[in-house]
Amino acid sequence: MPKVDIAKVKVTSGTFYPDPFKAECAGRHKQALGDAVGLTQFGVNLTRVEAGQASALRHWHEQEDEFIYMLEGELVLAENGGEVVLKPGDAAGFKAGSGNAHRLINRGKVDAVYFEVGTRAKHEHVHYPDVDLVLVRDEQGRHYLHKNGEPYPS
């Protein structure tokens, strides 16, 4: 098993969202640890969310399961049923196709860190119920669309 030198894994900050939706997630920083060792069936990310920022817009996946495990700080898990605080040692999971839209918000004063694990579907639709946004991923890549199907400008 190759050891991951986490300090050498590239940090990707922010999101791929279209411009109207980028700001509240600009303080999200991910390291794709699974990619660093060539995993193809599931992804593993070490993610840091700055104080006052969010992991994502509230969303749910049609095809991909997601699981998170808290390491440092506190995050508020906002989902269909309300909000709950996650602290180190807490975990949460989201089954594909459940319709349970979720996101993590850092309302604290320090950064929060968690592991994120998810399946990698070749075709995916991600729904964002609170905003006019849908993500479609296919052989041609990632496409952000309005809910009426019109594409956002690249």
Side-chain angles (χ1 to χ4, degrees), residues 108-122:
K109 297 185 186 312
V110 299
D111 292 358
V113 180
Y114 62 96
F115 274 123
E116 174 182 53
V117 180
T119 51
R120 294 184 179 193
K122 290 186 180 194

Side-chain angles (χ1 to χ4, degrees), residues 88-111:
D90 289 340
F94 311 97
K95 182 172 174 39
S98 71
N100 185 11
H102 55 277
R103 72 187 295 202
L104 302 168
I105 307 163
N106 188 342
R107 293 188 180 138
K109 297 185 186 312
V110 299
D111 292 358

Side-chain angles (χ1 to χ4, degrees), residues 1-10 31-46 115-117 120:
M1 295 289 283
K3 179 181 177 183
V4 177
D5 186 346
I6 293 175
K8 292 183 179 177
V9 177
K10 178 184 171 188
Q31 290 176 282
L33 304 182
D35 289 354
V37 293
L39 300 183
T40 58
Q41 296 179 23
F42 62 93
V44 179
N45 298 315
L46 180 61
F115 274 123
E116 174 182 53
V117 180
R120 294 184 179 193

